[in-house]
Amino acid sequence: MPQLSPIIRSGRIQGRVTQLGRAISQDYAIKPPLLLPLLDGAVLFAADLMRAIRLPGLTVEFARASSWHGGMQSSGSVELGALPDVRGRDVLIVDDILDSGRTLVRVRDAVLAAGAERVRSCVCCDKPGGREVDIQADYVGFVVPTLFLVGYGLDYDGRYRHLPDICHYREDPSPSSA
Ligand code: IMP
Ligand code: MG
């Protein structure tokens, strides 16, 4: 049996999302952004974040980006689906976790190439120990240790996304204890 240990509880996540929503509402008061959550992982974070943003002119469109090809292994190459019309827009990319940085770099470059005026990013978790390319997010919910995490959108082969807490996922360390 895998072990799941909560490291960030739902109540803490909600409190932090409220703060992020407030900061984004202030920073974008003049020109509301196009919120661009990346499916599938950002779905829970984005659903909470957009409701914490108090900007009547906010628009939300989704894009699909994936770098996982199973288990805890990243493939290294990022597949990016169709983008909405971003020409002249102030785009705020939303993702579940910033790890190697490849996803964010790929999406940022594609959004800029498609004519966005400005691109920034908001991630629920930042795992700086995993970074392989030079990028930082503009808004970060939690800086997390270099562990494999699940819950609140983060998955292991499609599982555990629905968990309200962010948890450390571990395979059973000692088969003999089974
Ligand atoms: P990056 O391209 O390496 O920065 O990874 C970003 C994507 O990898 C995220 O959107 C997640 O889908 C996935 N990812 C990175 N770390 C984890 C983790 O600890 N658990 C689950 N998914 C992760
Ligand atoms: Mg993802």
Side-chain angles (χ1 to χ4, degrees):
M1 285 284 284
Q3 290 182 17
L4 298 173
S5 328
I7 63 161
I8 309 170
R9 298 272 187 189
S10 162
R12 243 183 99 202
I13 299 172
Q14 296 309 321
R16 185 70 187 123
V17 169
T18 301
Q19 292 174 341
L20 289 172
R22 207 172 283 149
I24 291 167
S25 305
Q26 283 171 6
D27 296 350
Y28 286 90
I30 306 287
K31 185 180 181 187
L34 165 60
L35 211 64
L36 186 69
L38 305 182
L39 298 171
D40 299 321
V43 69
L44 297 199
F45 179 48
D48 289 335
L49 183 67
M50 69 177 85
R51 284 178 289 183
I53 297 175
R54 305 284 178 209
L55 294 171
L58 182 75
T59 50
V60 185
E61 308 258 15
F62 293 83
R64 178 172 295 271
S66 66
S67 60
W68 289 108
H69 287 255
M72 296 188 250
Q73 280 303 308
S74 169
S75 68
S77 73
V78 180
E79 284 171 36
L80 179 59
L83 287 177
D85 185 0
V86 297
R87 283 172 295 176
R89 299 300 307 270
D90 210 331
V91 177
L92 183 59
I93 299 167
V94 177
D95 207 1
D96 50 0
I97 189 164
L98 173 57
D99 184 19
S100 73
R102 286 201 201 92
T103 304
L104 209 50
V105 165
R106 173 91 162 78
V107 177
R108 180 200 63 192
D109 291 352
V111 167
L112 283 173
E117 190 178 290
R118 186 169 74 142
V119 184
R120 303 215 284 166
S121 57
C122 176
V123 297
C124 181
C125 298
D126 181 6
K127 208 193 270 187
R131 205 74 92 252
E132 291 171 18
V133 293
D134 184 24
I135 189 162
Q136 286 180 355
D138 299 281
Y139 301 91
V140 173
F142 302 96
V143 176
V144 297
T146 314
L147 301 171
F148 191 76
L149 305 175
V150 295
Y152 200 60
L154 294 159
D155 73 303
Y156 177 83
D157 282 351
R159 299 189 66 194
Y160 311 116
R161 265 194 223 288
H162 62 294
L163 301 178
D165 300 328
I166 295 173
C167 304
H168 176 203
Y169 174 95
R170 260 166 306 177
E171 304 283 359
D172 187 354
S174 57
S176 58
S177 69

